[in-house]
Amino acid sequence: MKAKEVKILNQGLEDEMEVWGYQPCLWKMILVGVGAVCSGGLLLLLLYWLPEWGVKSTCTPTSLRDAQTLLLRTTDEFKQWFRAKVHVMLAPGKKPFDDLDLLSKTQIPNGDGDHIPSDSNSERHENFPHRQPAQIQYFVHHSTKYYWNDVMQNFEVYKGLEDVNVTCASIHTEHSSGLSKALQDYRRLFFGENEIAVIVPSLFKLLIKEVLNPFYIFQLFSVILWSTDSYYYYASAIVFMSIISIVTSLYTVKKQYVMLRDMVAAHSVVRVSVCRGNEDTEQAMSTELVPGDVIIIPANGMIMPCDAILFNGTCIVNESMLTGESVPVTKTSLPSSDEEATRAYDIEEHKKHTLFCGTHVIQTRFYAGELVKALVVRTGFSTEKGQLVRSILYPKPTDFKLYRDAYLFLLCLVGVAGVGFLYTIILSIMNKVPANTIVIESLDIITITVPPALPAAMTAGIVFAQRRLKRIGIFCISPQRINMCGQLNVVCFDKTGTLTEDGLDLWGIQRVEDGSFRPPESEAAKAGLVNSTFVACMATCHSLTKIEGELSGDPLDLKMFSATGWVLEEPTEEETALHNLIMPTVVRPPKNFIHEANQNNPLTQNMACEIGIVRQFPFSSALQRMSVVVRRLGEKHMEAFLKGAPEVVASLCKQHTVPQSFTETLETYTRQGFRVIALAHRQLESKLSWHKVQNLSRDVLETNMEFLGLIIMQNKIKEETAGVLCELRHANIRTLMVTGDNMLTAISVARDCGMVLPHEKVIIADALPPKDFHPASITWHYTEAPTQSGKDNQTVEINLEEIMYDGQVSQPEQSYHFAVSGRAFAVITEHFPQLVQKLVLKATVFARMAPDQKTQLVEVLQGIDYIVGMCGDGANDCGALKRAHSGISLSELEASVASPFTSSTSNISCVPNLIREGRAALITSFCVFKFMALCSIIQYLSVTLLYSILSNLGDFQFLFIDIAIILITVFTMSLNPAWKELVLRRPPSSLISGPLLFSVLTQILTCLAFQVLAFLLVKEQSWYEIWTPQSDACNVSSSSPSPSVNETIPHDHKNIKNYENTTLFYVSCFQYLAVAIIFSKGKPFRQPSYKNWSFMLYCMVLYFFLFLIMLYPIPAIDSFLELVCVPHDWRVTLVIIVIVNAVVSFLFEILILDIILWRLVFRGNEGANRPTESSSANMTQMSIDRWGRPFLSWLFCRRNKPPRVRYRHLALELQEDTDWPPKPSTVTYASTPASLTLT
């Protein structure tokens, strides 16, 4: 292997990384040590902050096999660097699943290679004297162990039992007896203890990590510098603020670690029964489990300590920790025969047979004399819960342009500081200033220009926004994402439970008799239907169970079963133990139903109504159906009932039993937004015994069914949905629906809630994978709005195909939406990658989407530069909630830990509230950043001018400016609440943009001009002289002191007290206040500043105080601030200067920037989407646009400037593409770029 060859870890996965190998180099380490000593430790800090430099400066490249240190870099957009140390472990084999037959006869060495044989094993060692332990290299990164693989010549991760591709059949035959103690110990060397260990760092470690932040190092440097220059008060104030900031940060971080540890550790360590083969069991701690162990699930349930395959018995499980749904689900044993048993076990495919770590097994069902057993598949951080905890412990950094631009802006300030640094040195040398003074003053100019309090100040707006969100029931675990919410331009919504009500109501049933539909019936709980096969199917085909006497299960199943009026009874543990066979769950109608039915129909008097559920095949989202095998009381033969998606159920039925009007009837309901479920039935052969049914294949059972009819469920849209979506549309924020429901139902809901407007077309992209030498294809079906609306109408027309197409649409981008199913999305992603971005640009409805496809969709949207929000109820949305820039969970269950935001209200009204607060927080961040930057520049200008006369600001002047003016003003200006409504205009996302740069530069030039004016003007006054303690400019009529004595020996060696200092102090103080008020903008993103009483009151107090000490000096205050007395006429002149300064600053910011330049130049990307104005305003605006915009656009180099974001660029391309969107009745093939029209 080449020394510098790079390898890929976790290829194709979310945490993919590049890895390089290195070995320590002695001479490099010596050089670094010398450099660290010479730099006073700064070099070590630099290498700590930059792991890449740290490794390359102390090590030399080598092959991965020989490496002692590894350098890791993520392959995502963040390109994060990590350093890892390679360890060596001794073990009898090189892989955890090696076929080591001799292992059970040998003693296992521990992980450090210390092999200590015991007396009991000495004979076994004598049998294998030549067995030498192997050396295995590994490293740990983000709680995951990576082991060296000689074959791959790379490191790999051992996840669990699925690494060896075990089949379902082999799990029953080869892995069902458990592991020996020796083999368990061996595997534990590789997999470690079975625990999700959230290690809470000590306060000392957290303190060191926090203090070594570059921000605090710079503050430490500043404090040391100020202390050497006797600026003790200001240095003490900065130290005090830093201590408060550090303590607050440590408390918050420590609290989050403790909360996560407590959440994880609540049930992570339990006692379990482990099988050791030959029916032997032993009690062990769950931390000892390894993949391959067989555990016994107790009858009263348990909290699962690992991921395990259920291969014997049935369990009722609450999976709310993972899915967000508190609805118990039924887990059945893994199939041991038929075609499915030959397939390799896959944790995703076989979810219905897998018990996940952290989920609660409520109760079990078992055979008499047999135990409910599960095979451990994954342990520790490899489990589903472990991966969730890892994503919380090691989150991806927040990628937001604001923070990247902030660093660039700070670099600009550093450049300005560098100019001041050189200026100070040159000026001081020319004036023969002592060397120590030169060093202190030149370094001091850097601490003035780069504000140490900037990070804390920018955090203030986010903290206040977080508090406001908490008051309206939105809780945040990632405060930095609040700013991102202000930039959201597309929001994806789950449908069921998010846009629509959680529960379903039975609208009616439509039974089939003699191959045709009967008229719809509103009730199923009628005496006349009690003996019908249709109602029997409704009463039995479900996964309901009784928990503490209450029916529990899927809401749809609950509604369907309760609509029958039947009763469900489950056997007790005692009843089950008394029989050789498992006691079935029994359902029966109420006695009054039976009595009434028998009276009405004497032929059914002897007919049994009690039905026992013999076997369940749980609902599978992949198969879109579930089925049960039942037996009526007293009947010899069994029956099968099937329930599922109508299209799927119809395909499994005998064709003559499916009505000819099936398709039309189904579309009638789905277009109205109804949820339709089909039922089917089959009578099984009498020779099928109970044992044979338990081993019967699902595929064999679910064929040749007889179609029974349709159940029509109504899913009502929540009251708040339409209003919220309308508000988002008016704010120019795209809304998408991402659901697992039927396509036509989803389109209907999208129309009803306003996501698709009545006049807009919907184009269904129906994609098919390649088959029988035919390439993959997409068929484009056009639909339009229904001609009638309302659920009371039995027919709603959606016309299809070419009658819909209007080639003369003037704004095609506004007239159509794509609708894509999960199957089509998968085909298009794989076979039409060039169309994916085009589709998502105008796609609004995504139906039948699997959880991982929701995540893929979010990634595609982010790939074309959308800032994506995701709102879901937690069920199957966890991946998308984590991946989105802003995930909002409507579920307060543990699954919401994966989401940055959780709403206590179960509707989408939280979304506009979150966006409004995000916009307010974002604008606050911009305001604070601009204000802090201007304050630094204003102070920099003052100090630079004073340096020219070998003067400076005094210690208490610095203290007054930085604490009384800047710091308190920053925190009060951050209190502006969000504006009451969402506006069309979005806040800027970049600090390096035309409006912001223009704003900052004009204010800098204005402040510079007025400071220089005041600085020069004071020297022109008739009373001016070089100030001495004997000077008395306030009383110019009195006899002048002898200048010869006072000019040569100034009393103040720092020369703080002088007329220039006093003048610049007054002018600069008013400049700080002026820019604070100008930058603290309100509408359209924040409430006006006059409503921020604390800010306005404080500004008024400061203005009053400054005018007071300037016009009517108070000796005690002048002495404290080291101000000198100046004539009253000059004070009046200063008042005029500061007023004119404020007016000019206001005109530049409000009139020129906000009104003229924003409307004519910087708003170009708003285009036609801006709000309409009055006719007179329109005429004025049109004339201004006609002449002003071209000139100013040319002046600011913005003519014909292409859009920065990819989705806008793509939209412009599609507007010019005459073949997009595809015309009706066309098919696009993967093999050819052209579309072929169907005939």
Side-chain angles (χ1 to χ4, degrees):
M1 182 188 293
K2 296 178 182 177
K4 291 188 178 181
E5 186 176 357
V6 60
K7 289 283 189 178
I8 304 294
L9 298 178
N10 307 321
Q11 191 158 12
L13 301 178
E14 183 181 350
D15 52 353
E16 184 180 86
M17 293 181 293
E18 298 172 324
V19 58
W20 293 266
Y22 286 87
Q23 279 185 338
C25 178
L26 183 60
W27 66 267
K28 283 188 176 184
M29 294 172 72
I30 293 173
L31 280 180
V32 169
V34 172
V37 173
C38 296
S39 63
L42 288 178
L43 179 61
L44 291 180
L45 273 175
L46 186 65
L47 299 182
Y48 169 77
W49 293 331
L50 301 169
E52 179 193 7
W53 291 13
V55 172
K56 291 182 177 178
S57 61
T58 57
C59 303
T60 54
T62 185
S63 64
L64 285 183
R65 183 181 181 81
D66 301 323
Q68 297 181 34
T69 299
L70 298 176
L71 189 60
L72 308 168
R73 185 179 70 177
T74 60
T75 58
D76 55 18
E77 66 272 24
F78 304 107
K79 304 294 182 187
Q80 287 181 283
W81 292 92
F82 300 97
R83 179 177 186 161
K85 184 180 179 182
V86 178
H87 303 273
V88 177
M89 176 181 76
L90 297 180
K94 291 200 170 185
K95 290 188 177 183
F97 300 108
D98 280 349
D99 186 15
L100 301 178
D101 295 333
L102 307 179
L103 190 61
S104 59
K105 303 178 182 179
T106 59
Q107 175 70 22
I108 305 299
N110 64 24
D112 298 322
D114 300 327
H115 180 44
I116 307 174
S118 62
D119 294 337
S120 60
N121 287 318
S122 58
E123 184 179 346
R124 296 176 185 176
H125 273 279
E126 290 173 5
N127 294 335
F128 309 101
H130 302 294
R131 188 170 189 82
Q132 295 294 328
Q135 289 191 346
I136 303 169
Q137 295 166 296
Y138 73 95
F139 72 93
V140 181
H141 175 67
H142 286 178
S143 301
T144 301
K145 275 189 177 182
Y146 295 80
Y147 291 92
W148 178 253
N149 186 316
D150 278 325
V151 178
M152 296 168 51
Q153 288 293 295
N154 197 2
F155 288 92
E156 64 176 341
V157 179
Y158 297 131
K159 292 182 179 178
L161 199 63
E162 72 259 41
D163 290 341
V164 291
N165 292 324
V166 292
T167 63
C168 297
S170 67
I171 287 173
H172 285 273
T173 56
E174 300 172 19
H175 299 275
S176 58
S177 58
L179 303 177
S180 65
K181 192 71 172 68
L183 193 54
Q184 185 193 53
D185 292 341
Y186 169 66
R187 288 188 181 177
R188 197 180 302 117
L189 293 178
F190 293 90
F191 294 105
E193 297 288 326
N194 174 35
E195 60 180 347
I196 303 170
V198 178
I199 300 172
V200 180
S202 65
L203 279 175
F204 179 74
K205 283 186 178 180
L206 288 174
L207 177 65
I208 295 299
K209 186 176 180 181
E210 187 73 18
V211 168
L212 291 183
N213 185 294
F215 161 62
Y216 289 116
I217 296 299
F218 179 68
Q219 277 198 339
L220 178 64
F221 162 76
S222 303
V223 167
I224 293 172
L225 180 67
W226 294 328
S227 299
T228 58
D229 202 23
S230 301
Y231 290 172
Y232 298 119
Y233 295 103
Y234 185 51
S236 301
I238 289 295
V239 168
F240 177 72
M241 287 191 299
S242 298
I243 289 174
I244 291 177
S245 177
I246 289 172
V247 169
T248 304
S249 178
L250 290 183
Y251 172 77
T252 304
V253 173
K254 182 88 171 178
K255 183 180 177 183
Q256 288 177 344
Y257 269 111
V258 171
M259 284 176 61
L260 184 61
R261 182 197 62 188
D262 293 345
M263 184 194 82
V264 172
H267 306 285
S268 60
V269 180
V270 295
R271 293 199 69 84
V272 292
S273 298
V274 184
C275 296
R276 292 294 179 210
N278 300 323
E279 301 300 324
D280 292 335
T281 61
E282 67 177 28
Q283 292 292 310
M285 299 304 295
S286 60
T287 52
E288 299 174 16
L289 296 176
V290 297
D293 272 328
V294 172
I295 60 174
I296 297 169
I297 311 296
N300 58 349
M302 65 185 294
I303 301 291
M304 288 300 297
C306 58
D307 289 351
I309 309 167
L310 185 66
F311 66 88
N312 208 16
T314 305
C315 293
I316 309 297
V317 186
N318 184 337
E319 291 189 327
S320 61
M321 196 284 299
L322 292 178
T323 65
E325 282 187 347
S326 57
V327 176
V329 294
T330 302
K331 300 284 185 173
T332 57
S333 60
L334 193 72
S336 58
S337 58
D338 69 47
E339 183 183 346
E340 190 175 356
T342 61
R343 286 188 288 198
Y345 169 78
D346 180 82
I347 203 161
E348 287 296 323
E349 185 182 345
H350 296 96
K351 271 186 175 181
K352 290 294 181 183
H353 316 294
T354 305
L355 305 172
F356 292 104
C357 178
T359 59
H360 183 198
V361 179
I362 302 169
Q363 64 184 39
T364 63
R365 306 288 303 280
F366 54 92
Y367 310 120
E370 292 195 33
L371 300 169
V372 178
K373 296 180 180 179
L375 175 68
V376 177
V377 187
R378 293 180 180 179
T379 58
F381 278 99
S382 295
T383 62
E384 290 287 318
K385 182 179 179 180
Q387 291 174 28
L388 175 63
V389 173
R390 277 185 68 231
S391 69
I392 299 169
L393 280 175
Y394 312 104
K396 284 192 175 184
T398 305
D399 180 35
F400 195 37
K401 207 170 188 309
L402 170 66
Y403 304 119
R404 298 201 303 268
D405 290 346
Y407 288 118
L408 290 175
F409 207 97
L410 284 176
L411 286 176
C412 294
L413 291 180
V414 170
V416 173
V419 173
F421 180 79
L422 294 175
Y423 164 79
T424 305
I425 292 175
I426 294 170
L427 190 67
S428 300
I429 292 174
M430 289 173 62
N431 287 279
K432 299 180 180 179
V433 175
N436 64 327
T437 306
I438 294 176
V439 172
I440 291 173
E441 290 188 346
S442 57
L443 292 175
D444 192 33
I445 203 81
I446 296 176
T447 65
I448 289 170
T449 315
V450 183
L454 179 62
M458 287 190 69
T459 305
I462 297 174
V463 171
F464 294 140
Q466 188 176 6
R467 289 180 179 178
R468 290 194 296 269
L469 286 172
K470 190 174 182 180
R471 283 200 294 267
I472 59 176
I474 300 174
F475 303 95
C476 174
I477 62 171
S478 180
Q480 294 300 327
R481 289 184 183 261
I482 294 177
N483 272 344
M484 281 191 173
C485 296
Q487 277 294 310
L488 290 182
N489 46 26
V490 62
V491 183
C492 305
F493 292 97
D494 181 35
K495 184 179 78 69
T496 307
T498 304
L499 298 175
T500 61
E501 296 288 351
D502 222 345
L504 292 164
D505 297 320
L506 183 73
W507 182 86
I509 61 173
Q510 193 156 10
R511 294 183 295 135
V512 170
E513 285 186 4
D514 301 324
S516 60
F517 281 116
R518 286 176 55 85
E521 300 167 87
S522 59
E523 291 184 19
K526 295 191 295 187
L529 297 177
V530 70
N531 290 316
S532 68
T533 310
F534 188 93
V535 171
C537 183
M538 288 180 66
T540 56
C541 198
H542 52 70
S543 56
L544 300 178
T545 185
K546 274 195 172 180
I547 298 173
E548 297 180 356
E550 292 290 328
L551 267 183
S552 183
D554 185 89
L556 187 146
D557 286 348
L558 280 170
K559 285 284 184 182
M560 184 181 73
F561 182 76
S562 61
T564 64
W566 286 38
V567 179
L568 182 141
E569 295 176 350
E570 285 188 327
T572 62
E573 291 180 30
E574 293 77 12
E575 289 175 329
T576 305
L578 290 173
H579 296 80
N580 292 328
L581 305 180
I582 187 170
M583 285 287 289
T585 298
V586 174
V587 294
R588 57 175 177 79
K591 292 181 180 178
N592 61 323
F593 272 34
I594 301 172
H595 179 70
E596 189 176 341
N598 290 340
Q599 281 185 339
N600 296 338
N601 189 0
L603 296 176
T604 63
Q605 284 188 9
N606 297 321
M607 191 171 178
C609 289
E610 283 194 13
I611 305 175
I613 302 173
V614 177
R615 189 180 180 190
Q616 280 185 356
F617 292 97
F619 177 79
S620 165
S621 55
L623 300 175
Q624 298 180 29
R625 63 182 186 266
M626 79 161 289
S627 58
V628 292
V629 177
V630 303
R631 190 173 202 166
R632 292 182 185 268
L633 184 64
E635 294 285 341
K636 292 184 178 179
H637 59 79
M638 298 185 189
E639 297 173 86
F641 288 121
L642 177 70
K643 174 189 75 176
E647 305 92 338
V648 174
V649 172
S651 68
L652 299 173
C653 291
K654 300 172 184 176
Q655 285 303 307
H656 69 273
T657 66
V658 180
Q660 291 183 351
S661 61
F662 167 78
T663 305
E664 294 79 4
T665 305
L666 176 62
E667 288 186 0
T668 298
Y669 290 124
T670 55
R671 287 171 191 155
Q672 296 178 74
F674 288 118
R675 178 85 176 266
V676 183
I677 298 158
L679 304 183
H681 160 263
R682 175 186 173 188
Q683 187 168 305
L684 302 180
E685 296 81 2
S686 57
K687 64 180 181 180
L688 275 176
S689 64
W690 185 91
H691 280 292
K692 288 181 179 179
V693 166
Q694 297 305 316
N695 296 318
L696 193 62
S697 164
R698 182 170 190 165
D699 294 333
V700 172
L701 181 77
E702 296 172 348
T703 55
N704 294 321
M705 309 290 285
E706 294 180 7
F707 195 79
L708 292 178
L710 304 174
I711 301 175
I712 301 100
M713 311 289 285
Q714 188 174 5
N715 193 196
K716 295 179 181 177
I717 295 174
K718 293 182 179 179
E719 292 181 6
E720 303 82 3
T721 297
V724 169
L725 294 179
C726 181
E727 185 178 2
L728 294 176
R729 175 183 280 271
H730 287 160
N732 200 24
I733 296 172
R734 268 188 74 191
T735 54
L736 309 180
M737 181 193 298
V738 191
T739 178
D741 208 344
N742 174 277
M743 170 67 80
L744 293 178
T745 301
I747 293 174
S748 173
V749 171
R751 289 195 184 279
D752 290 344
C753 66
M755 199 173 279
V756 176
L757 296 181
H759 65 277
E760 294 176 331
K761 304 180 181 71
V762 175
I763 306 172
I764 299 175
D766 188 13
L768 295 173
K771 184 178 181 182
D772 298 334
F773 304 106
H774 293 288
S777 62
I778 308 174
T779 306
W780 309 93
H781 300 288
Y782 274 60
T783 70
E784 69 173 356
T787 56
Q788 300 176 23
S789 61
K791 303 296 184 203
D792 296 328
N793 300 326
Q794 289 301 311
T795 59
V796 177
E797 294 295 330
I798 295 182
N799 299 323
L800 293 173
E801 305 308 337
E802 56 267 52
I803 60 169
M804 279 297 311
Y805 188 75
D806 179 11
Q808 305 300 318
V809 177
S810 58
Q811 288 185 324
E813 69 275 8
Q814 298 298 328
S815 64
Y816 70 91
H817 299 262
F818 285 114
V820 185
S821 67
R823 184 185 67 171
F825 184 75
V827 172
I828 294 170
T829 304
E830 182 178 357
H831 300 285
F832 299 88
Q834 75 282 4
L835 292 182
V836 174
Q837 293 186 350
K838 291 182 180 182
L839 272 177
V840 299
L841 189 67
K842 287 298 297 179
T844 300
V845 176
F846 293 86
R848 298 292 191 206
M849 295 286 279
D852 58 327
Q853 289 180 319
K854 294 183 180 183
T855 308
Q856 289 174 24
L857 174 62
V858 170
E859 291 172 347
V860 172
L861 291 167
Q862 291 172 335
I864 54 175
D865 295 337
Y866 274 114
I867 308 297
V868 185
M870 175 71 196
C871 183
D873 60 354
N876 303 324
D877 299 320
C878 287
L881 289 169
K882 280 166 51 182
R883 175 64 70 187
H885 291 107
S886 174
I888 311 152
S889 171
L890 302 185
S891 164
E892 294 187 71
L893 297 167
E894 288 184 354
S896 64
V897 174
S899 176
F901 301 95
T902 302
S903 173
S904 59
T905 56
S906 59
N907 59 66
I908 64 171
S909 61
C910 60
V911 175
N913 290 333
L914 184 59
I915 296 175
R916 286 190 303 105
E917 289 295 348
R919 289 182 172 187
L922 184 59
I923 288 298
T924 299
S925 296
F926 279 115
C927 294
V928 167
F929 194 93
K930 288 163 62 180
F931 175 66
M932 292 295 289
L934 252 295
C935 288
S936 296
I937 295 296
I938 291 170
Q939 201 171 87
Y940 169 80
L941 295 174
S942 302
V943 171
T944 305
L945 288 171
L946 290 175
Y947 275 3
S948 68
I949 60 168
L950 303 182
S951 180
N952 200 351
L953 291 173
D955 192 5
F956 288 104
Q957 289 176 342
F958 275 121
L959 193 67
F960 176 78
I961 290 170
D962 286 296
I963 304 297
I965 296 182
I966 298 177
L967 203 62
I968 298 179
T969 302
V970 158
F971 285 111
T972 54
M973 75 189 294
S974 301
L975 289 170
N976 284 39
W979 184 240
K980 56 189 176 184
E981 60 186 29
L982 280 178
V983 296
L984 179 69
R985 175 177 159 191
R986 272 193 293 272
S989 61
S990 172
L991 281 168
I992 314 298
S993 62
L996 269 75
L997 290 178
F998 179 85
S999 172
V1000 171
L1001 289 175
T1002 52
Q1003 295 303 324
I1004 288 174
L1005 293 175
T1006 303
C1007 293
L1008 173 63
F1010 281 93
Q1011 281 201 37
V1012 171
L1013 174 66
F1015 183 76
L1016 296 177
L1017 204 57
V1018 70
K1019 293 184 178 183
E1020 301 298 324
Q1021 302 304 306
S1022 58
W1023 47 264
Y1024 175 80
E1025 63 180 356
I1026 296 178
W1027 188 89
T1028 66
Q1030 288 76 30
S1031 297
D1032 190 11
C1034 292
N1035 190 7
V1036 291
S1037 61
S1038 65
S1039 59
S1040 301
S1042 174
S1044 60
V1045 178
N1046 298 324
E1047 286 181 8
T1048 54
I1049 309 174
H1051 180 73
D1052 182 9
H1053 71 280
K1054 289 187 177 181
N1055 193 21
I1056 300 299
K1057 288 188 174 183
N1058 53 64
Y1059 299 120
E1060 292 90 338
N1061 172 288
T1062 300
T1063 297
L1064 288 180
F1065 175 77
Y1066 284 140
V1067 172
S1068 64
C1069 283
F1070 281 101
Q1071 285 180 339
Y1072 296 130
L1073 278 175
V1075 295
I1077 293 172
I1078 289 168
F1079 286 161
S1080 183
K1081 296 180 181 179
K1083 291 171 60 178
F1085 305 115
R1086 304 197 305 168
Q1087 295 282 359
S1089 292
Y1090 61 78
K1091 291 190 175 182
N1092 184 353
W1093 292 109
S1094 55
F1095 174 68
M1096 294 305 296
L1097 183 63
Y1098 190 71
C1099 286
M1100 290 166 61
V1101 169
L1102 278 180
Y1103 266 119
F1104 175 80
F1105 175 77
L1106 289 173
F1107 275 121
L1108 177 68
I1109 66 173
M1110 188 167 70
L1111 294 175
Y1112 304 98
I1114 301 171
I1117 295 176
D1118 284 357
S1119 174
F1120 178 77
L1121 292 175
E1122 299 181 85
L1123 301 175
V1124 298
C1125 189
V1126 294
H1128 190 266
D1129 291 345
W1130 180 241
R1131 296 176 188 275
V1132 174
T1133 304
L1134 287 179
V1135 170
I1136 295 171
I1137 289 175
V1138 298
I1139 291 175
V1140 174
N1141 185 352
V1143 170
V1144 172
S1145 296
F1146 178 84
L1147 288 176
F1148 269 123
E1149 184 73 16
I1150 306 301
L1151 180 64
I1152 297 179
L1153 176 66
D1154 286 358
I1155 297 179
I1156 298 176
L1157 290 180
W1158 178 261
R1159 290 171 71 94
L1160 297 181
V1161 181
F1162 299 123
R1163 197 183 52 175
N1165 60 352
E1166 300 285 338
N1169 292 332
R1170 58 178 178 268
T1172 57
E1173 301 171 358
S1174 64
S1175 57
S1176 60
N1178 278 335
M1179 293 297 293
T1180 306
Q1181 182 64 34
M1182 285 173 62
S1183 60
I1184 293 174
D1185 286 359
R1186 182 177 179 183
W1187 302 105
R1189 178 171 293 176
F1191 171 73
L1192 290 173
S1193 295
W1194 170 81
L1195 183 65
F1196 285 89
C1197 305
R1198 291 180 63 89
R1199 295 198 69 179
N1200 301 321
K1201 192 173 181 181
R1204 292 183 180 180
V1205 289
R1206 293 175 64 185
Y1207 68 86
R1208 289 189 184 277
H1209 186 75
L1210 191 60
L1212 290 176
E1213 286 183 357
L1214 293 182
Q1215 282 184 9
E1216 299 172 1
D1217 188 350
T1218 56
D1219 294 329
W1220 192 265
K1223 294 177 175 56
S1225 303
T1226 60
V1227 180
T1228 302
Y1229 291 102
S1231 57
T1232 59
S1235 295
L1236 305 177
T1237 304
L1238 294 176
T1239 57

